[in-house]
Amino acid sequence: MQTLESTIDPAVEIQHSAAHGQQQPDPLTIDGNDDGLALAEMVVMMIDDEPIITKTVKKYLENAGFKRIVTCCESSEALEAIQHEQPDVVLLDLNMPEVGGFEILSSMRSAPALKRIPVIVLTSSDDADTKLESFKRGAADFLVKPVHAGELVLRLKNILTAKAYHDQVTRHTALLEHQVRLRTNELKAAQLQILHSLASAGEFRDEVTGMHVVRVGRYSGALARYLGASDDWVEMIEHAAPLHDVGKIGIPDAILLKPGPLEPSEYEVMKQHGIMGTQIICPASRRRLAAWADDELLDVTESPIMKMAAVIAETHHEKWDGSGYPKGLKGEEIPPEGRIVAVADVYDALSNERPYKKAFSREKSFEIIAEGRGVHFDPRVVDAFFATVDEILKIQLEFSD
């Protein structure tokens, strides 16, 4: 067993003035405001199998201004104690029975909750290999017994100052990240609100189709998910698809609300709603936009979700065999979002009442979708529709008019 004298340099023992009979100022006492480091609030844990050593070190740390000192003499209980106490710094002996200091140090560095706690190795071994191994395993500092109490306190203070600064930076970074997330969510919510408002505007004059845009968005998301799209793409099409008919804002009431079939000339006007929709959603489509921010002119690209919405508005009436409008695109010339929304839109139009028709039965609607496979619709999207029909029907019921 090491003696008290072999552990702490006796030169730092508190001295008394023989002349005045009063205790002189402790050379280790550090003012609580020194460098802004509140030593009394710092938790120091010492792990050493020699109780007399832990007792002595605790005494000198208390004299230096530390108030929250935890000791552990059972190395087998050290990790559990560190986990429970979450100290600001650990003083660790290496040569202990049962569990050695190196093992404790390695375990701390591999544990997410403990790896950032600084460790000062306090050992009687002064060989270079031991010191090197300590640093390799993540020690913040290395002191050899006997250690001068003043040096120990100053080393502790330096490490705790660095840790306090690091913790402050970490907290500030976390706060900034939280604020960025809040702001991003606010902007996203505002964007979605604008999207939904714009989609509703496209259907505002047609009361019968009030929930049509919502259902088409949900159907499109279900189909995209089944077809293997990423979560981000699925979410984007769910929010972009409701804008597919926003161009109807530009169609006269006499045509839009006409009961019964349209005349050929009227149908030609109706067919323009896809182009109108694209012009409404992305008036600067396929070119770069300028935006002012912080008094600087920034060059930014279009919103991906608005870009997708513009593509959907323009292509959801194209047909797989090339007989659709407005461009007569064929097969995979039609963007995937347009192919998906085509099936979702037609099914909802078939199975719900419109100014020009009564609602078809579910069976009749399914039959028409199946007949359009490879003619009107992409065969894979039709297959996805029937594979997800239970989800489609659930959506239809939940968002019924």
Side-chain angles (χ1 to χ4, degrees):
M1 177 184 295
Q2 291 174 291
T3 64
L4 174 60
E5 289 74 23
S6 67
T7 306
I8 301 293
D9 192 328
V12 297
E13 284 288 349
I14 299 175
Q15 304 294 323
H16 290 75
S17 171
H20 302 287
Q22 296 179 343
Q23 181 175 325
Q24 295 295 317
D26 183 354
L28 300 184
T29 300
I30 300 174
D31 185 82
N33 295 321
D34 188 20
D35 295 335
L37 188 64
L39 298 183
E41 298 178 5
M42 300 293 178
V43 179
V44 179
M45 174 174 281
M46 183 172 184
I47 302 170
D48 197 306
D49 62 320
E50 297 291 348
I52 191 171
I53 296 177
T54 58
K55 182 178 179 180
T56 304
V57 171
K58 182 176 180 180
K59 170 188 172 183
Y60 282 105
L61 293 183
E62 288 173 343
N63 289 339
F66 291 94
K67 302 299 182 185
R68 304 175 65 186
I69 304 165
V70 181
T71 60
C72 178
C73 294
E74 298 293 335
S75 60
S76 60
E77 301 174 0
L79 284 174
E80 183 178 351
I82 297 170
Q83 181 75 43
H84 180 264
E85 297 292 340
Q86 289 292 309
D88 293 291
V89 64
V90 172
L91 299 175
L92 178 65
D93 187 24
L94 294 181
N95 300 317
M96 295 181 289
E98 298 185 26
V99 181
F102 281 146
E103 185 177 346
I104 293 173
L105 186 55
S106 295
S107 297
M108 287 182 65
R109 292 299 166 253
S110 62
L114 307 179
K115 65 181 181 180
R116 298 193 183 280
I117 298 175
V119 175
I120 298 177
V121 170
L122 190 59
T123 181
S124 58
S125 178
D126 62 352
D127 66 276
D129 290 340
T130 300
K131 185 175 184 179
L132 181 61
E133 184 64 22
S134 297
F135 285 123
K136 281 184 177 180
R137 294 184 184 237
D141 207 342
F142 186 95
L143 292 172
V144 179
K145 303 173 186 177
V147 60
H148 190 287
E151 181 182 4
L152 172 62
V153 170
L154 291 175
R155 296 281 189 101
L156 266 174
K157 183 182 174 185
N158 289 340
I159 286 175
L160 288 171
T161 299
K163 182 179 184 296
Y165 177 75
H166 179 270
D167 290 346
Q168 182 180 10
V169 171
T170 300
R171 287 192 297 270
H172 183 63
T173 301
L175 177 61
L176 290 178
E177 290 175 350
H178 177 67
Q179 292 174 338
V180 169
R181 284 195 299 271
L182 286 179
R183 183 58 177 157
T184 300
N185 289 337
E186 289 173 359
L187 292 174
K188 183 177 180 180
Q191 182 188 46
L192 295 181
Q193 186 175 357
I194 293 170
L195 286 171
H196 294 158
S197 298
L198 187 57
S200 297
E203 303 289 340
F204 188 73
R205 292 178 296 157
D206 190 355
E207 295 181 359
V208 177
T209 60
M211 294 298 289
H212 167 69
V213 295
V214 178
R215 291 192 297 268
V216 169
R218 296 302 182 97
Y219 296 159
S220 299
L223 296 175
R225 188 178 298 107
Y226 180 84
L227 290 166
S230 68
D231 291 342
D232 289 342
W233 205 89
V234 169
E235 182 181 8
M236 191 156 58
I237 197 172
E238 283 185 352
H239 295 304
L243 291 173
H244 66 286
D245 276 342
V246 70
K248 287 182 177 179
I249 293 173
I251 304 299
D253 284 352
I255 296 175
L256 181 65
L257 304 179
K258 181 179 180 179
L262 297 177
E263 297 296 331
S265 60
E266 294 172 327
Y267 184 56
E268 288 301 316
V269 173
M270 178 63 83
K271 286 164 63 175
Q272 295 303 308
H273 79 273
I275 298 297
M276 292 178 182
T278 302
Q279 293 172 343
I280 290 170
I281 297 167
C282 283
S285 181
R286 299 176 183 82
R287 65 183 175 84
R288 299 180 70 80
L289 305 175
W292 286 97
D294 297 329
D295 298 327
E296 293 184 7
L297 189 62
L298 304 178
D299 198 19
V300 297
T301 56
E302 304 156 82
S303 159
I305 194 169
M306 296 301 282
K307 246 178 142 176
M308 177 184 280
V311 170
I312 289 171
E314 188 176 45
T315 64
H316 73 286
H317 284 297
E318 300 286 359
K319 295 184 179 181
W320 188 254
D321 65 0
S323 64
Y325 65 87
K327 294 183 177 180
L329 300 179
K330 182 178 181 180
E332 294 191 0
E333 293 176 351
I334 308 168
E337 51 265 57
R339 286 179 259 156
I340 289 172
V341 175
V343 174
D345 181 36
V346 170
Y347 171 72
D348 199 71
L350 292 172
S351 57
N352 289 277
E353 185 176 350
R354 289 298 179 90
Y356 54 86
K357 60 172 276 296
K358 296 293 183 180
F360 290 165
S361 67
R362 183 180 300 171
E363 291 73 18
K364 180 64 176 177
S365 300
F366 288 166
E367 182 182 336
I368 294 174
I369 294 294
E371 288 174 352
R373 186 182 187 277
V375 180
H376 187 159
F377 308 117
D378 180 345
R380 289 169 296 179
V381 180
V382 172
D383 293 343
F385 175 85
F386 286 108
T388 59
V389 71
D390 289 342
E391 185 177 357
I392 297 293
L393 295 177
K394 182 179 179 181
I395 292 169
Q396 188 173 23
L397 178 63
E398 181 178 358
F399 297 98
S400 60
D401 289 308

